[in-house]
Amino acid sequence: MTSKNKGHPRTFSFEFFPPKTPEGREKLRATRQQLAQLKPKFFSVTFGAGGSTRDHTLDTVVEIQSEGFDAAPHLSCIGSTQDNIRAILNEYKSHGIRHIVALRGDLPSGMADPGAFRYANELIEFIRAETGDYFQLEVAAYPEYHPQARSAKDDLLNFKRKVEAGANAAITQYFFNADAYFNFVDECTAMGIDIPIVPGIMPITNYVQLARFSDACGSEIPRWIRKKLEGYGDDLPSIRAFGLDVITNLCDRLLQNGASGLHFYTLNQAGPTSTVWQRLGL
């Protein structure tokens, strides 16, 4: 199965989480210097549940921007007010940041009120109403469907609403089954959705962590991959070697069949992403 994301230039990008300690900031600077040599289109920086890392996100994107790179902060709206989001948008504008990853986000545990925005399309509509076309807006897409979606069709309609509200491009949740991505892109094309849908790529370096992430976000680890990883136990070199093979093959198949780029969830490490990149000959 193949899917051509027709007419869209390929975009390569790397995602970080905002460090909370001086050591973490130093480590991320070193990671960024290494990955910057690969000349990505942009670096994105995540935003904690309910905006819990808002200041760390701002500090990180301002630093990236000051180094001459395009920085795209994540902005999640759940638990926020319009004034709160407006203030963040104005802050980003004042720093010359023109690129945002607009997300619903997760309601922090213990918080009952979702705030002024229940869904990402409402956030996108608000950003467009407030700032026009100032921001390039990326949104999330789910090739294996959002874990809270009532049905596959519902999830596609939710995605379409985000695109109609003004999204410029999408980054997918990570996945290990290329056919899920190709099928999703074909379904979007059939619905008249014509924005780049860039595959999100999660390097495999730690099976326990990966299993925890995947259970939480609904990304399926195929049984054969899960069984191989379980079989390695605590043998980290074998997990990493196998993980590199799996991810390189996945990326190669995606690019060979027309995916519009790759977005790497780096977990603030340069090594695994750089190795995959070199193996792909990018």
Side-chain angles (χ1 to χ4, degrees), residues 28-39 270-271 274 278:
L28 181 55
R29 284 184 192 116
T31 294
R32 207 161 58 234
Q33 280 175 347
Q34 199 175 329
L35 292 176
Q37 295 168 22
L38 310 181
K39 300 186 169 54
S274 298
Q278 285 156 4

Side-chain angles (χ1 to χ4, degrees), residues 13-242:
S13 50
F14 303 129
E15 182 168 303
F16 304 131
F17 60 83
K20 294 178 181 173
T21 64
E23 301 79 50
R25 283 191 284 279
E26 279 309 313
K27 184 189 167 206
L28 181 55
R29 284 184 192 116
T31 294
R32 207 161 58 234
Q33 280 175 347
Q34 199 175 329
L35 292 176
Q37 295 168 22
L38 310 181
K39 300 186 169 54
K41 180 86 186 296
F42 64 92
F43 292 114
S44 72
V45 182
T46 62
F47 189 81
S52 57
T53 62
R54 173 185 161 181
D55 293 340
H56 296 303
T57 301
L58 175 67
D59 293 344
T60 307
V61 291
V62 167
E63 187 173 313
I64 291 170
Q65 199 86 351
S66 73
E67 293 168 354
F69 298 102
D70 182 11
H74 287 212
L75 179 56
S76 57
C77 60
I78 206 89
S80 289
T81 65
Q82 289 193 352
D83 287 346
N84 180 231
I85 296 293
R86 187 180 290 117
I88 293 172
L89 294 173
N90 288 336
E91 199 153 25
Y92 287 147
K93 281 179 82 172
S94 74
H95 289 287
I97 288 159
R98 306 197 56 143
H99 201 158
I100 285 174
V101 182
L103 307 163
R104 187 194 72 163
D106 298 318
L107 197 63
S109 56
M111 186 185 282
D113 182 13
F117 308 93
R118 285 176 309 157
Y119 303 108
N121 65 293
E122 296 172 358
L123 172 64
I124 294 153
E125 283 165 8
F126 180 76
I127 294 172
R128 289 295 181 223
E130 290 286 314
T131 63
D133 290 332
Y134 181 85
F135 290 106
Q136 158 92 8
L137 295 180
E138 311 274 341
V139 293
Y142 297 87
E144 296 173 318
Y145 310 114
H146 194 283
Q148 293 168 352
R150 282 195 295 267
S151 68
K153 187 177 181 191
D154 254 19
D155 199 49
L156 283 162
L157 291 172
N158 285 338
F159 182 59
K160 191 173 190 203
R161 278 192 279 275
K162 292 192 278 194
V163 175
E164 288 170 344
N168 300 107
I171 297 166
T172 77
Q173 178 60 272
Y174 70 86
F175 56 88
F176 301 106
N177 181 348
D179 286 334
Y181 170 79
F182 297 134
N183 182 63
F184 181 79
V185 173
D186 287 345
E187 288 183 307
C188 289
T189 302
M191 291 173 75
I193 295 170
D194 182 33
I195 63 170
I197 300 172
V198 177
I201 303 298
M202 177 70 83
I204 298 173
T205 56
N206 177 323
Y207 172 61
V208 174
Q209 183 185 49
L210 182 70
R212 192 175 70 241
F213 284 167
S214 300
D215 291 343
C217 72
S219 289
E220 185 176 324
I221 303 174
R223 180 179 164 80
W224 73 275
I225 295 177
R226 206 179 258 273
K227 286 290 174 195
K228 286 280 273 193
L229 290 169
E230 283 170 359
Y232 290 127
D234 296 331
D235 180 359
L236 285 180
S238 293
I239 289 173
R240 286 179 182 148
F242 173 70

Side-chain angles (χ1 to χ4, degrees), residues 14 27 31 34-35 38 201-206 209 236 239-241 243-248 251 262 264-280 282:
F14 303 129
K27 184 189 167 206
T31 294
Q34 199 175 329
L35 292 176
L38 310 181
I201 303 298
M202 177 70 83
I204 298 173
T205 56
N206 177 323
Q209 183 185 49
L236 285 180
I239 289 173
R240 286 179 182 148
L244 281 169
D245 287 345
V246 167
I247 297 303
T248 303
C251 292
L262 299 168
F264 286 90
Y265 297 106
T266 70
L267 301 180
N268 292 12
Q269 298 173 40
T273 297
S274 298
T275 304
V276 170
W277 188 277
Q278 285 156 4
R279 286 182 171 197
L280 291 168
L282 293 170

